Coordinates of all heavy atoms in Angstrom, one line a residue:
P11 N 153.5 130.9 250.4 CA 153.6 132.3 250.6 C 154.7 132.9 249.7 O 155.7 132.3 249.4 CB 154.1 132.4 252.1 CG 153.6 131.2 252.7 CD 153.6 130.1 251.6
G12 N 154.4 134.1 249.1 CA 155.3 134.7 248.2 C 155.3 134.2 246.8 O 156.1 134.6 246.0
Q13 N 154.5 133.2 246.6 CA 154.4 132.6 245.2 C 153.2 133.2 244.5 O 152.2 133.3 245.0 CB 154.3 131.1 245.4 CG 154.4 130.3 244.1 CD 154.4 128.8 244.4 OE1 153.7 128.4 245.3 NE2 155.2 128.1 243.6
L14 N 153.4 133.4 243.2 CA 152.4 133.9 242.3 C 152.2 132.9 241.2 O 153.1 132.6 240.5 CB 152.7 135.3 241.7 CG 151.7 136.0 240.9 CD1 150.6 136.6 241.9 CD2 152.3 137.1 240.1
L15 N 151.0 132.3 241.1 CA 150.7 131.3 240.1 C 150.0 132.0 238.9 O 149.0 132.6 239.1 CB 149.8 130.2 240.7 CG 150.4 129.4 241.9 CD1 149.4 128.5 242.4 CD2 151.6 128.7 241.5
V16 N 150.6 131.8 237.8 CA 150.1 132.4 236.5 C 149.8 131.3 235.5 O 150.6 130.4 235.3 CB 151.2 133.4 235.9 CG1 150.6 134.0 234.6 CG2 151.6 134.4 236.9
G17 N 148.6 131.4 234.9 CA 148.2 130.4 233.9 C 148.0 131.1 232.6 O 148.0 132.3 232.5
F18 N 147.8 130.3 231.6 CA 147.6 130.8 230.2 C 146.3 130.1 229.7 O 146.1 128.9 229.9 CB 148.8 130.5 229.3 CG 150.0 131.3 229.8 CD1 150.9 130.8 230.7 CD2 150.2 132.6 229.3 CE1 152.0 131.5 231.1 CE2 151.3 133.3 229.7 CZ 152.2 132.7 230.6
A19 N 145.6 130.9 228.9 CA 144.4 130.4 228.3 C 144.4 130.8 226.8 O 144.3 132.0 226.5 CB 143.1 130.9 229.0
A20 N 144.5 129.9 225.9 CA 144.4 130.1 224.5 C 143.0 129.7 224.1 O 142.6 128.5 224.1 CB 145.5 129.3 223.8
E21 N 142.2 130.7 223.7 CA 140.8 130.5 223.5 C 140.4 130.8 222.1 O 141.0 131.6 221.4 CB 140.0 131.4 224.4 CG 140.2 131.1 225.9 CD 139.8 129.8 226.4 OE1 139.0 129.1 225.8 OE2 140.3 129.3 227.5
T22 N 139.3 130.1 221.6 CA 138.8 130.4 220.3 C 137.5 131.3 220.3 O 137.2 131.8 219.3 CB 138.5 129.1 219.6 OG1 137.5 128.3 220.4 CG2 139.7 128.2 219.3
E23 N 136.9 131.3 221.5 CA 135.7 132.2 221.6 C 135.5 132.5 223.1 O 136.0 131.8 224.0 CB 134.5 131.5 221.1 CG 134.2 130.2 221.7 CD 133.0 129.4 221.1 OE1 132.6 129.8 220.0 OE2 132.5 128.5 221.7
N24 N 134.7 133.5 223.4 CA 134.4 133.9 224.8 C 135.7 133.9 225.6 O 135.7 133.3 226.7 CB 133.3 133.0 225.4 CG 132.1 133.0 224.6 OD1 131.6 134.0 224.1 ND2 131.5 131.8 224.5
I25 N 136.7 134.6 225.1 CA 138.0 134.6 225.7 C 138.0 134.9 227.2 O 138.5 134.1 228.0 CB 138.9 135.6 225.0 CG1 139.1 135.2 223.5 CG2 140.3 135.7 225.7 CD1 139.7 136.2 222.6
E26 N 137.4 136.0 227.6 CA 137.4 136.4 229.0 C 136.6 135.5 229.9 O 137.0 135.1 231.0 CB 136.9 137.9 229.2 CG 138.0 138.9 228.8 CD 137.7 140.3 229.2 OE1 137.5 140.5 230.4 OE2 137.6 141.2 228.3
A27 N 135.4 135.1 229.4 CA 134.6 134.2 230.2 C 135.3 132.9 230.5 O 135.3 132.4 231.6 CB 133.2 134.0 229.6
H28 N 135.9 132.3 229.4 CA 136.5 131.0 229.6 C 137.8 131.2 230.4 O 138.1 130.3 231.3 CB 136.9 130.4 228.2 CG 135.7 129.9 227.5 ND1 135.7 129.8 226.1 CD2 134.5 129.6 227.9 CE1 134.5 129.3 225.7 NE2 133.8 129.2 226.8
A29 N 138.5 132.3 230.3 CA 139.7 132.5 231.1 C 139.4 132.7 232.6 O 140.1 132.1 233.4 CB 140.5 133.7 230.6
L30 N 138.3 133.4 232.9 CA 137.9 133.6 234.3 C 137.5 132.3 234.9 O 137.8 132.0 236.0 CB 136.8 134.6 234.4 CG 137.2 136.0 234.2 CD1 135.9 136.9 234.1 CD2 138.0 136.5 235.4
E31 N 136.8 131.4 234.1 CA 136.4 130.1 234.6 C 137.7 129.3 234.9 O 137.8 128.6 236.0 CB 135.6 129.4 233.6 CG 134.9 128.1 234.1 CD 135.8 126.9 234.0 OE1 136.6 126.8 233.0 OE2 135.7 126.0 234.8
K32 N 138.7 129.3 234.1 CA 139.9 128.6 234.3 C 140.7 129.1 235.5 O 141.2 128.4 236.3 CB 140.8 128.6 233.1 CG 140.4 127.8 232.0 CD 141.3 127.8 230.8 CE 140.8 127.0 229.6 NZ 141.7 127.1 228.5
L33 N 140.7 130.5 235.6 CA 141.3 131.1 236.8 C 140.8 130.6 238.1 O 141.5 130.2 239.0 CB 141.1 132.6 236.7 CG 141.7 133.5 237.8 CD1 143.1 133.7 237.6 CD2 141.0 134.9 237.8
K34 N 139.4 130.5 238.2 CA 138.8 130.0 239.4 C 139.0 128.6 239.6 O 139.3 128.1 240.7 CB 137.3 130.4 239.3 CG 137.0 131.9 239.4 CD 135.6 132.2 239.2 CE 135.4 133.7 239.2 NZ 134.0 134.1 238.8
R35 N 138.8 127.8 238.5 CA 138.9 126.3 238.6 C 140.3 125.9 239.0 O 140.5 125.0 239.8 CB 138.5 125.7 237.3 CG 138.4 124.2 237.4 CD 138.0 123.5 236.0 NE 139.1 123.6 235.1 CZ 139.1 124.2 233.9 NH1 138.1 124.8 233.5 NH2 140.2 124.1 233.1
K36 N 141.3 126.5 238.5 CA 142.7 126.1 238.8 C 143.3 126.8 240.1 O 144.4 126.5 240.5 CB 143.6 126.4 237.6 CG 143.2 125.6 236.4 CD 144.1 125.9 235.2 CE 143.7 125.1 234.0 NZ 144.1 123.7 234.1
K37 N 142.5 127.8 240.6 CA 142.9 128.5 241.9 C 144.2 129.1 241.7 O 145.1 128.9 242.5 CB 142.8 127.5 243.0 CG 141.4 127.0 243.3 CD 141.4 126.0 244.4 CE 140.0 125.5 244.5 NZ 139.8 124.3 245.4
I38 N 144.4 129.9 240.6 CA 145.6 130.6 240.4 C 145.4 132.1 240.6 O 144.3 132.6 240.8 CB 146.2 130.3 239.0 CG1 145.1 130.6 237.9 CG2 146.6 128.8 238.8 CD1 145.6 130.4 236.5
D39 N 146.5 132.8 240.6 CA 146.5 134.3 240.9 C 146.2 135.1 239.6 O 145.4 136.1 239.7 CB 147.8 134.7 241.5 CG 148.1 134.0 242.8 OD1 147.3 134.1 243.7 OD2 149.1 133.3 242.8
L40 N 146.8 134.8 238.5 CA 146.6 135.5 237.3 C 146.5 134.5 236.1 O 147.0 133.4 236.2 CB 147.9 136.4 237.0 CG 148.2 137.5 237.9 CD1 149.6 138.1 237.5 CD2 147.1 138.6 237.7
I41 N 145.8 135.0 235.1 CA 145.7 134.2 233.9 C 145.9 135.2 232.7 O 145.3 136.3 232.7 CB 144.4 133.4 233.8 CG1 144.5 132.3 232.6 CG2 143.2 134.2 233.6 CD1 143.6 131.2 232.8
A42 N 146.7 134.8 231.7 CA 146.9 135.5 230.5 C 146.2 134.8 229.4 O 146.5 133.7 229.1 CB 148.4 135.6 230.2
A43 N 145.2 135.5 228.8 CA 144.3 134.9 227.8 C 144.5 135.6 226.5 O 144.7 136.8 226.4 CB 142.9 135.0 228.3
N44 N 144.4 134.8 225.4 CA 144.5 135.4 224.1 C 143.7 134.5 223.1 O 143.3 133.4 223.4 CB 145.9 135.6 223.6 CG 146.6 134.3 223.4 OD1 146.4 133.3 224.0 ND2 147.5 134.3 222.4
S45 N 143.4 135.1 222.0 CA 142.6 134.4 221.0 C 143.5 133.6 220.1 O 144.6 134.1 219.7 CB 141.8 135.4 220.1 OG 141.2 134.7 219.0
V46 N 143.1 132.4 219.7 CA 143.9 131.6 218.7 C 143.0 131.3 217.5 O 143.3 130.4 216.7 CB 144.4 130.3 219.4 CG1 145.5 130.6 220.4 CG2 143.3 129.4 220.0
A47 N 141.9 132.0 217.4 CA 140.9 131.8 216.3 C 141.1 132.7 215.2 O 141.4 133.9 215.4 CB 139.5 131.9 216.9
G48 N 141.0 132.2 214.0 CA 140.9 133.1 212.8 C 142.2 133.9 212.5 O 143.2 133.6 213.0
V49 N 142.0 134.9 211.7 CA 143.1 135.7 211.3 C 143.7 136.6 212.4 O 144.8 137.1 212.3 CB 142.8 136.6 210.0 CG1 142.4 135.8 208.8 CG2 141.6 137.5 210.4
E50 N 142.9 136.8 213.4 CA 143.3 137.6 214.5 C 143.9 136.8 215.7 O 144.4 137.3 216.7 CB 142.1 138.4 215.1 CG 141.6 139.5 214.1 CD 140.2 139.9 214.3 OE1 139.6 139.5 215.4 OE2 139.7 140.6 213.5
G51 N 144.0 135.5 215.5 CA 144.6 134.6 216.5 C 146.1 134.8 216.6 O 146.8 135.4 215.8
A52 N 146.6 134.2 217.7 CA 148.0 134.4 218.0 C 149.0 133.6 217.1 O 150.1 134.0 216.9 CB 148.3 133.9 219.4
F53 N 148.5 132.6 216.5 CA 149.4 131.7 215.7 C 149.5 132.3 214.3 O 148.6 132.7 213.6 CB 148.8 130.3 215.5 CG 148.7 129.6 216.9 CD1 147.5 129.1 217.3 CD2 149.8 129.5 217.7 CE1 147.4 128.5 218.5 CE2 149.8 128.8 218.9 CZ 148.5 128.3 219.3
G54 N 150.8 132.4 213.8 CA 151.1 132.9 212.5 C 151.1 134.4 212.3 O 151.2 134.9 211.2
N55 N 151.0 135.1 213.4 CA 151.0 136.6 213.4 C 152.2 137.1 214.2 O 152.7 136.4 215.1 CB 149.8 137.1 214.1 CG 148.5 136.9 213.2 OD1 148.6 137.0 212.0 ND2 147.4 136.6 213.9
D56 N 152.7 138.2 213.8 CA 153.9 138.9 214.5 C 153.4 139.6 215.7 O 154.2 139.9 216.6 CB 154.6 139.8 213.6 CG 155.3 139.1 212.4 OD1 155.6 137.9 212.6 OD2 155.4 139.7 211.4
E57 N 152.1 140.0 215.8 CA 151.6 140.7 216.9 C 150.6 139.9 217.7 O 150.1 138.9 217.2 CB 150.9 142.0 216.4 CG 151.8 143.0 215.9 CD 151.2 144.4 215.8 OE1 150.0 144.5 215.8 OE2 152.0 145.4 215.7
N58 N 150.3 140.3 218.9 CA 149.4 139.6 219.8 C 148.8 140.6 220.7 O 149.2 141.7 220.9 CB 150.1 138.5 220.6 CG 149.2 137.4 221.1 OD1 148.0 137.4 220.9 ND2 149.8 136.5 221.9
T59 N 147.7 140.1 221.3 CA 147.0 140.9 222.4 C 146.7 139.9 223.5 O 146.2 138.8 223.2 CB 145.7 141.5 221.9 OG1 146.0 142.4 220.8 CG2 145.0 142.3 223.0
L60 N 147.0 140.2 224.7 CA 146.7 139.4 225.9 C 145.8 140.1 226.8 O 145.9 141.4 226.9 CB 148.0 139.1 226.7 CG 148.9 138.0 226.3 CD1 150.1 137.9 227.3 CD2 148.3 136.7 226.0
I61 N 144.9 139.4 227.4 CA 144.0 140.0 228.4 C 144.5 139.3 229.7 O 144.5 138.1 229.9 CB 142.5 139.7 228.2 CG1 142.1 140.2 226.9 CG2 141.7 140.3 229.3 CD1 140.7 139.8 226.4
L62 N 145.0 140.1 230.6 CA 145.5 139.6 231.9 C 144.5 139.8 233.0 O 144.0 140.9 233.2 CB 146.8 140.3 232.3 CG 147.6 139.8 233.4 CD1 148.1 138.4 233.2 CD2 148.9 140.7 233.6
L63 N 144.1 138.7 233.6 CA 143.0 138.7 234.6 C 143.5 138.2 235.9 O 144.3 137.2 235.9 CB 141.8 137.9 234.1 CG 141.2 138.3 232.8 CD1 140.3 137.2 232.3 CD2 140.5 139.6 232.9
G64 N 143.1 138.8 237.0 CA 143.5 138.4 238.3 C 142.4 137.9 239.2 O 141.2 138.3 239.0
N65 N 142.7 137.1 240.1 CA 141.6 136.5 241.0 C 141.1 137.6 242.0 O 140.1 137.4 242.7 CB 142.1 135.3 241.8 CG 143.2 135.6 242.7 OD1 143.6 136.8 242.9 ND2 143.8 134.6 243.3
N66 N 141.7 138.8 242.0 CA 141.2 139.9 242.8 C 140.4 140.9 242.0 O 140.2 142.0 242.4 CB 142.4 140.6 243.4 CG 143.4 141.2 242.4 OD1 143.2 141.0 241.2 ND2 144.4 141.8 242.9
G67 N 140.0 140.6 240.7 CA 139.3 141.5 239.9 C 140.2 142.3 238.9 O 139.7 143.1 238.1
F68 N 141.5 142.1 239.0 CA 142.4 142.8 238.2 C 142.1 142.5 236.7 O 141.9 141.3 236.4 CB 143.8 142.5 238.6 CG 144.9 143.0 237.6 CD1 145.3 144.3 237.8 CD2 145.4 142.3 236.6 CE1 146.3 144.9 237.0 CE2 146.4 142.8 235.8 CZ 146.8 144.1 236.0
R69 N 142.2 143.5 235.8 CA 142.0 143.2 234.4 C 142.9 144.3 233.6 O 142.8 145.5 233.9 CB 140.6 143.4 233.9 CG 140.4 143.2 232.5 CD 139.0 143.5 232.0 NE 138.7 143.2 230.6 CZ 139.0 144.0 229.6 NH1 139.6 145.2 229.8 NH2 138.8 143.7 228.4
Q70 N 143.7 143.8 232.7 CA 144.5 144.7 231.9 C 144.7 144.0 230.5 O 145.0 142.8 230.4 CB 145.9 145.0 232.5 CG 146.6 146.0 231.7 CD 147.9 146.5 232.3 OE1 148.4 145.9 233.3 NE2 148.4 147.6 231.8
V71 N 144.5 144.8 229.5 CA 144.8 144.4 228.1 C 146.2 144.8 227.8 O 146.5 146.0 227.9 CB 143.7 145.0 227.2 CG1 144.0 144.6 225.7 CG2 142.3 144.6 227.5
L72 N 147.0 143.8 227.3 CA 148.3 144.1 226.9 C 148.4 144.0 225.3 O 148.1 142.9 224.8 CB 149.3 143.1 227.5 CG 149.3 143.0 229.0 CD1 150.2 141.9 229.5 CD2 149.6 144.3 229.7
G73 N 148.6 145.1 224.7 CA 148.7 145.0 223.2 C 147.5 145.7 222.6 O 146.7 146.3 223.3
P74 N 147.4 145.6 221.3 CA 148.2 144.8 220.4 C 149.6 145.4 220.3 O 149.8 146.6 220.3 CB 147.5 144.8 219.1 CG 146.7 146.1 219.1 CD 146.3 146.3 220.6
A75 N 150.6 144.4 220.2 CA 152.0 144.8 220.1 C 152.7 143.5 219.6 O 152.1 142.5 219.5 CB 152.5 145.3 221.5
S76 N 154.0 143.7 219.4 CA 154.8 142.6 219.0 C 154.8 141.5 220.1 O 154.6 141.9 221.3 CB 156.2 143.0 218.7 OG 156.9 143.3 219.9
K77 N 155.0 140.3 219.7 CA 155.0 139.2 220.8 C 156.1 139.5 221.8 O 155.9 139.2 223.0 CB 155.1 137.9 220.1 CG 153.8 137.5 219.3 CD 153.9 136.2 218.7 CE 152.6 135.8 218.0 NZ 152.7 134.5 217.3
E78 N 157.2 140.0 221.3 CA 158.3 140.3 222.2 C 157.9 141.4 223.2 O 158.2 141.3 224.4 CB 159.6 140.7 221.5 CG 160.8 141.0 222.3 CD 162.0 141.3 221.5 OE1 162.1 141.0 220.3 OE2 162.9 141.9 222.1
K79 N 157.2 142.4 222.8 CA 156.8 143.5 223.6 C 155.7 143.0 224.6 O 155.7 143.3 225.8 CB 156.2 144.7 222.8 CG 155.7 145.8 223.6 CD 156.8 146.5 224.4 CE 156.2 147.7 225.1 NZ 157.2 148.4 225.9
I80 N 154.8 142.1 224.1 CA 153.8 141.5 225.0 C 154.5 140.7 226.1 O 154.1 140.8 227.3 CB 152.8 140.6 224.2 CG1 152.0 141.5 223.2 CG2 151.9 139.8 225.1 CD1 151.0 142.4 223.8
A81 N 155.5 139.9 225.8 CA 156.2 139.2 226.8 C 156.8 140.1 227.8 O 156.7 139.8 229.0 CB 157.3 138.3 226.1
D82 N 157.4 141.2 227.4 CA 158.0 142.1 228.3 C 157.0 142.7 229.3 O 157.2 142.8 230.5 CB 158.7 143.3 227.6 CG 160.0 142.8 226.9 OD1 160.6 141.8 227.3 OD2 160.5 143.5 226.0
L83 N 155.8 143.1 228.7 CA 154.7 143.7 229.5 C 154.2 142.7 230.5 O 153.9 143.0 231.6 CB 153.6 144.2 228.5 CG 154.0 145.4 227.7 CD1 152.9 145.7 226.6 CD2 154.2 146.6 228.5
L84 N 154.1 141.4 230.0 CA 153.6 140.4 230.9 C 154.5 140.2 232.1 O 154.0 140.1 233.2 CB 153.4 139.1 230.1 CG 152.9 137.9 230.9 CD1 151.5 138.2 231.6 CD2 152.8 136.7 230.0
I85 N 155.8 140.1 231.8 CA 156.8 140.0 232.9 C 156.7 141.2 233.9 O 156.7 141.0 235.1 CB 158.2 139.8 232.4 CG1 158.3 138.4 231.7 CG2 159.2 139.9 233.5 CD1 159.5 138.2 230.8
Q86 N 156.5 142.4 233.4 CA 156.4 143.6 234.2 C 155.2 143.5 235.1 O 155.2 143.8 236.3 CB 156.3 144.8 233.4 CG 157.6 145.2 232.7 CD 157.4 146.4 231.8 OE1 156.5 147.2 231.9 NE2 158.4 146.5 230.8
Q87 N 154.1 143.0 234.5 CA 152.8 142.9 235.3 C 152.9 141.8 236.4 O 152.5 142.0 237.5 CB 151.6 142.7 234.4 CG 151.1 143.9 233.7 CD 150.7 145.0 234.7 OE1 150.1 144.7 235.8 NE2 151.1 146.2 234.4
I88 N 153.6 140.7 236.1 CA 153.7 139.7 237.0 C 154.6 140.2 238.2 O 154.3 140.0 239.3 CB 154.3 138.4 236.4 CG1 153.3 137.8 235.4 CG2 154.8 137.4 237.4 CD1 153.9 136.7 234.5
N89 N 155.7 140.9 237.9 CA 156.5 141.4 238.9 C 155.8 142.4 239.8 O 156.0 142.5 241.0 CB 157.8 142.0 238.3 CG 158.8 141.0 237.9 OD1 158.9 139.9 238.5 ND2 159.6 141.3 236.9
H90 N 155.0 143.3 239.1 CA 154.2 144.3 239.8 C 153.2 143.6 240.8 O 153.0 144.0 241.9 CB 153.5 145.2 238.9 CG 152.7 146.2 239.5 ND1 153.2 147.3 240.1 CD2 151.3 146.4 239.7 CE1 152.3 148.1 240.6 NE2 151.1 147.5 240.4
Q91 N 152.5 142.5 240.3 CA 151.5 141.9 241.1 C 152.2 141.1 242.3 O 151.5 141.0 243.4 CB 150.8 140.8 240.3 CG 149.9 141.4 239.2 CD 148.7 142.2 239.7 OE1 148.1 141.7 240.7 NE2 148.4 143.3 239.1
K92 N 153.4 140.7 242.2 CA 154.1 140.1 243.3 C 154.4 141.0 244.5 O 154.5 140.5 245.6 CB 155.4 139.4 242.8 CG 155.2 138.2 242.0 CD 156.5 137.7 241.4 CE 157.5 137.3 242.4 NZ 158.7 136.7 241.8
H93 N 154.4 142.3 244.2 CA 154.8 143.2 245.3 C 153.6 144.0 245.9 O 152.6 144.1 245.5 CB 155.8 144.2 244.7 CG 157.1 143.6 244.3 ND1 158.0 143.1 245.1 CD2 157.5 143.3 243.0 CE1 159.0 142.5 244.4 NE2 158.7 142.7 243.1

């Protein structure tokens, strides 16, 4: 009780579909998914985009923004989901 489980999914394709499958399989509350494929992937870039998905149907796209800003937005959403 009072615990929020958050996972991460670094995907190369079908980002949302694969992330939703992981969300269900791991029985977690939220999953933050992003692409690691090609030039738009998270590695080697200063910016990122996350898709935050919840087991209750919640969906929010964070970014594109700097990785620092994405981290701040993710923490805000996790805190919001806890309450």
Side-chain angles (χ1 to χ4, degrees):
Q13 188 176 34
L14 187 75
L15 299 176
V16 181
F18 294 88
E21 302 293 339
T22 57
E23 60 185 12
N24 301 323
I25 298 165
E26 284 193 55
H28 288 158
L30 283 171
E31 189 276 328
K32 285 181 182 179
L33 177 79
K34 292 174 187 170
R35 186 178 77 239
K36 295 180 180 286
K37 299 177 181 169
I38 56 179
D39 301 301
L40 292 171
I41 194 159
N44 67 328
S45 173
V46 294
V49 295
E50 294 158 6
F53 299 123
N55 290 319
D56 294 332
E57 289 195 343
N58 198 3
T59 300
L60 283 181
I61 303 170
L62 189 59
L63 304 167
N65 64 6
N66 61 358
F68 174 82
R69 180 187 183 278
Q70 184 171 16
V71 176
L72 306 178
S76 71
K77 290 180 178 179
E78 185 175 340
K79 179 66 175 174
I80 294 291
D82 288 340
L83 292 170
L84 179 58
I85 291 168
Q86 289 174 22
Q87 281 303 317
I88 289 170
N89 284 331
H90 180 75
Q91 294 291 318
K92 285 174 62 175
H93 299 286

